[in-house]
Amino acid sequence: MATDAFAEARKRMVEEQLKARGIRDQRVLRAMEAVPRHLFVRPEDQEWAYADGPLPIGYGQTISQPYIVARMTELLGLKGDEKVLEIGTGSGYQAAILAHLAREVHTVERIPELVEMARQRLAKLGLTNVHVHHGDGTLGWPEAAPYDAILVTAAAPKVPEPLLEQLAEGGRLVAPVGSRGLQYLERWTREGQTFHRERFEPVAFVPLIGSYGWDLEDLLAE
Ligand code: SAM
């Protein structure tokens, strides 16, 4: 377990924000206690890195609230041998959590500056099983498909079709789906050509922008 200056704050975050709210997957709890979240926020925000909320990461984007990261990760039900796709790399924090819990992680981000920063952070932590790609994640990342688990960390008007196509048999996809202001966490599980959908709690994410997401021009005109 890491023993940096923030180790105590991280322990408290796990106890008070995650365990207390019902996160039970021990592997998820251990990963949340191990990954130094303060290295994924702007230097001026480090003192808030373990607070109970999202934080700005520049370019109008956010690093999600720790509880939401843990909750969505838990919904994927990772055991350790999976190939995972994340859409919306942002700071790279969620990808680092996934890297602790799966065999191989591919993560796609549309903003080049965030891609570069996430690559540097993940490399510094020695997380060599994460591959950060630049592109429109609503198209997935066909080069490494199929995926045992897919996590979308931006709000989608509906689950992008290419992501469902890139899901392996028995695979799970978790995404916030709904309107611009309010979405519900959904989990889609693949059984052949059939997809079972479950709905969980309401959330509020920044928009998923792309061919199978929200249109950038429409958002700018709002
Ligand atoms: N998972 C991130 C983390 O741990 O910091 C937080 C993700 S942030 C809430 C949403 C991210 O999705 C933003 O960085 C945004 O640029 C990105 N995004 C939005 N639309 C995208 C798309 N079509 N493809 C890839 N990334 C996208």
Side-chain angles (χ1 to χ4, degrees), residues 52-150:
D52 189 13
L55 285 170
I57 55 171
Y59 308 94
Q61 306 304 324
T62 53
I63 176 173
S64 307
Q65 178 191 17
Y67 170 73
I68 293 295
V69 173
R71 175 74 174 132
M72 292 175 91
T73 309
E74 187 173 65
L75 285 173
L76 291 176
L78 300 173
K79 299 285 179 263
D81 195 35
E82 296 87 354
K83 193 198 301 181
V84 182
L85 174 67
E86 181 200 17
I87 308 304
T89 314
S91 68
Y93 176 69
Q94 173 76 70
I97 296 289
L98 294 171
H100 276 69
L101 299 171
R103 175 170 48 86
E104 183 180 332
V105 179
H106 291 266
T107 178
V108 186
E109 170 58 53
R110 61 178 282 274
I111 300 176
E113 291 84 352
L114 292 178
V115 170
E116 201 39 53
M117 281 193 283
R119 272 190 190 137
Q120 285 175 17
R121 288 174 177 138
L122 293 163
K124 217 169 172 177
L125 290 174
L127 296 172
T128 52
N129 60 335
V130 191
H131 309 278
V132 186
H133 308 288
H134 176 232
D136 175 4
T138 68
L139 303 172
W141 193 257
E143 289 88 332
Y147 302 96
D148 305 297
I150 299 180

